[in-house]
Amino acid sequence: MAVESLDPRNGPVLEPGHSYGSLSDKLTNVVLTRRTPMAWFVAAAIGFLGLMLFLYSVTMLLVYGIGIWGVNVPVAWGFDIVNFVWWIGIGHAGTLISAVLLLTRQKWRTSINRFAEAMTLFAVVCAGMYPILHLGRPWLFYWLFPYPYTLGAWPQFNSPLVWDVFAISTYALTSLLFWYTGLIPDLANMRDRAQNRFAKIAYGIFALGWRGSARHWARYETAYLLLAGLATPLVVSVHSVVSLDFAAGVVPGWQVTVFPPYFVAGAIFSGFAMVLTLAIPIRALYRLQDLITMRHLEMMAKVMLATGLIVSFGYMLEAFYSIYSADTYEVFLTQNRAFGPYAWSYWALWACNALSIQLLWFRRIRTSIPALFILSIIVNIGMWLERFVIIVTALHRDFLPSAWGMYVPTVWDWGTYIGTMGLFLFLMFLFVRFVPLIAIAEMQVLLKEETHGPGHGHQDTEHGHGRGDGHAAAGMPGSTNITGATH
Amino acid sequence: MLKRRKTGDAQPTADAKSKGGGLFKRGGSQTKPTGQPQLYGVVAEFDNEEDLVKAAHHAYEAGYRRMDAFTPYPIEEVSEAIGFHHNRVALIVLIGGLTGVIAGFLLQYYIMVIDYPLNFNGRAPFAWPAFVPVMFETTILGSAFAAVLGMLALNGLPLLYHPVMKTPGFERVTRDGYFFAIEAADPAFDSAKVRQFFQEQRARNIAEVNV
């Protein structure tokens, strides 16, 4: 409330004219009755093609081994880890939107949290694949987990790589729980609205028999709030642990104490960019402009600007401290980044992540949908470049010039990368097709708050009662459906 | 439940008990207990949230305790009104989190100190600061599972069928319907009286629902 009253120019978080029923219908109809738009089939088909490319690339990897990738000493971490960090960072905005903004009572989160959480989940799926695939023998990935096996060895818990296993699996499971818990009431709504018998049964099973009981809601609200409270430090810890994969190493350019906060800010930055990239076409496709309003897009643009500035500050610190350290290798690293063979990636990174977002200071840019869409894609590219710069430029020329080398990704690196984008897109569009993409019950709470207090959307029902309610409600046990029609 | 019933306002409860205590199977047309469907309770639908909250307050004041509201979105006032003030989800989450942190610590202690100590340049095997990230993650994992599974268990879910779902029009409960049920198991329950009560509360549809 306070946020709106500060600036009257801010648009609403929910356009007027909705009742509880119309809100629910609008969102369930996207899945249940509305004809699937042609664009959905096109996008899902593109995603599916990407998924097939992923299948092909992974099959090749499993058959021929990791040698088909461009990674080799000295650059043993290439696209696999670049993409891993990129995807996991994208996921973070979803958790941030659903958890941190819930705790800080930012109600503009409500209409975007569901699909931002889905985005998190699918981004973690994509991310989690890379560390497993780059193991060399991916089918033995379970050796990473501490279980007693015949070799008699255990994971080494002083290593950030083992922390990473725990952080990523915890993150994936918690995100799934959070997302599913949020879905339960809406799945019950789908169950009650579905006409198709199979859909009714399927939604019914996943809704777990939710019946909206007041006691259930009370426990549900506590559990959901606590999950949000748990997810908030989790999201910070996950990307911090990811950054420790680098920071705990001795490679110049990796051993940087600023990494954890700077990685977390970068993750949020890229995640919000991805939410914008997805939200803009989806709201147009399903005509959800009254639910995902200009206000949402503008708020996300502001978060992007803020986190983008933190990230830019991180770049400056990185460069400053490496020169200030007067350490030969650190100074060389910065020179090599700026003027070496990969200088293009370093300057492109500055252009994408630091320069382009300065446009977001202007309200006209923040409220222009094409500009936001283009900027969000530029930031996605920029954040990918950031990881490329961190990993490749640090590794390819470290201590001994005799051990220097170059990294050139092969067609299989690209195939795997584009493949995971296809997987992500495909999962995202399946989600939009089968699950309400905006949290209905939460939107109803928002509607209640927007219409001030616990008043009902349609006040006209009040008139029907008054004194005459004696016979209006004089329902015999059998004759109950009187008002069913009027509704 | 029992305790609360006794401490609640005693007058209406006692009143209803003397009359309706033994009669709570009276809902059907016959009183024969065997072979007849048992009554779950009387369910009423309300037009809006305000009426529902008012009715819930009045029901509590009238001495009913075995009752529940069913709403499309959470309404804190209703659960408060029916006397549901505390839930144990937070306690379960605390237990889950503690289990997680202890399990995370013991796992690493056992592996790194007892079963498979490795000598890194003579450093102590018990390097507890290095255990913290994993302990943190297991804490979150334990708490998150405790929150969701605990909430579902306390709610008695999954439970795909519940008598209240037989209420005509109950599918509106997930859209924009506000329902309120007083269960036959309530000692103060008397079908006719409950229906009368709901009428006074401006309920829209009133139905007796069998188990």
Side-chain angles (χ1 to χ4, degrees), chain A residues 136-194:
Chain A
R137 288 186 290 170
W139 48 92
L140 296 177
F141 74 95
Y142 56 87
W143 283 7
L144 290 162
F145 290 103
Y147 76 102
Y149 64 109
T150 47
L151 295 185
W154 290 100
Q156 208 275 84
F157 281 97
N158 291 349
S159 162
L161 296 176
V162 174
W163 305 346
D164 215 22
V165 174
F166 277 80
I168 302 295
S169 17
T170 302
Y171 188 50
L173 287 170
T174 309
S175 301
L176 182 66
L177 283 176
F178 199 37
W179 183 68
Y180 182 64
T181 308
L183 262 176
I184 291 172
D186 288 356
L187 288 172
N189 193 339
M190 300 294 283
R191 170 198 65 199
D192 293 345
R193 300 286 92 72

Side-chain angles (χ1 to χ4, degrees), chain A residues 159-237:
Chain A
S159 162
L161 296 176
V162 174
W163 305 346
D164 215 22
V165 174
F166 277 80
I168 302 295
S169 17
T170 302
Y171 188 50
L173 287 170
T174 309
S175 301
L176 182 66
L177 283 176
F178 199 37
W179 183 68
Y180 182 64
T181 308
L183 262 176
I184 291 172
D186 288 356
L187 288 172
N189 193 339
M190 300 294 283
R191 170 198 65 199
D192 293 345
R193 300 286 92 72
Q195 300 296 317
N196 173 320
R197 190 165 167 70
F198 174 75
K200 226 175 168 54
I201 292 172
Y203 286 121
I205 288 170
F206 284 108
L208 307 175
W210 183 261
R211 54 185 187 273
S213 152
R215 289 185 171 80
H216 291 188
W217 273 122
R219 297 192 188 103
Y220 175 91
E221 289 281 281
T222 312
Y224 198 70
L225 193 68
L226 287 171
L227 275 179
L230 292 165
T232 303
L234 179 66
V235 71
V236 174
S237 87

